[in-house]
């Protein structure tokens, strides 16, 4: 989720933030099923269509199954994935991971950004790298990163 939100352009995030705030009728920082449906209806969707979309959003994004969508989850649901994965956006995201600026993302850098507050085994980190590392050098190049991210939008 972190990486996806980081790829978004600031102006797109600002627009969606306004929509989120307008939909969050009670101001609690999360959107209930009813607030989501009302929001989609106000954007021109029929109630039936909005309810179907909201059910799908809650099913896919409500990770803790509490019946609410937080701001980051909302951004992911609303973004245009094809627009998100431009070469420029991907380069900015890659550079955010590549802390030592050597042109690669290694396990330490991945842990630094994605592992905050998470207890994953060393094997999990190795497997994350291995899944993307097509030439088996134990690090991710920009080309490997770009191919992985583009595979998500197909």
């Amino acid at each position: 989720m972190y990486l996806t939100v980081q790829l978004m352009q600031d102006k797109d995030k600002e627009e969606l933030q306004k929509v989120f705030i307008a939909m969050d009728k009670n101001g609690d920082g999360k959107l209930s099923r009813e607030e989501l449906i009302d929001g989609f209806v106000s954007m021109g969707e029929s109630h039936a269509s909005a309810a179907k979309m909201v059910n799908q959003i809650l099913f896919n994004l409500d990770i803790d199954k509490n019946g609410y969508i937080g701001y980051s989850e909302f951004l992911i649901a609303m973004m245009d994935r094809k627009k998100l994965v431009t070469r420029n956006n991907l380069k900015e995201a890659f550079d955010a991971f590549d802390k030592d600026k050597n042109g690669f993302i290694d396990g330490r850098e991945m842990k630094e950004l994605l592992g905050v507050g998470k207890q994953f085994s060393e094997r999990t980190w190795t497997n994350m790298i291995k899944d993307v590392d097509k030439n088996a050098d134990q690090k991710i190049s920009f080309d490997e990163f770009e191919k992985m991210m583009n595979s998500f939008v197909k």
Side-chain angles (χ1 to χ4, degrees), residues 56-70:
Q56 193 67 26
I57 289 169
L58 287 170
F59 179 79
N60 290 322
L61 294 177
D62 184 17
I63 307 229
D64 58 7
K65 303 298 180 206
N66 68 356
Y68 296 95
I69 298 298

Side-chain angles (χ1 to χ4, degrees), residues 28 41 50 68 70 84 87 91-92 103 154:
D28 65 356
V41 167
Y68 296 95
L84 183 71
R87 189 167 179 82
K91 184 67 175 137
E92 285 180 30
K154 292 182 179 173

Side-chain angles (χ1 to χ4, degrees), residues 33-60:
R33 183 177 192 285
E34 293 74 28
E35 287 172 324
L36 286 164
I37 290 171
D38 290 346
F40 283 114
V41 167
S42 74
M43 288 187 258
E45 293 292 330
S46 70
H47 192 276
S49 175
K52 186 176 180 180
M53 287 170 51
V54 168
N55 287 340
Q56 193 67 26
I57 289 169
L58 287 170
F59 179 79
N60 290 322

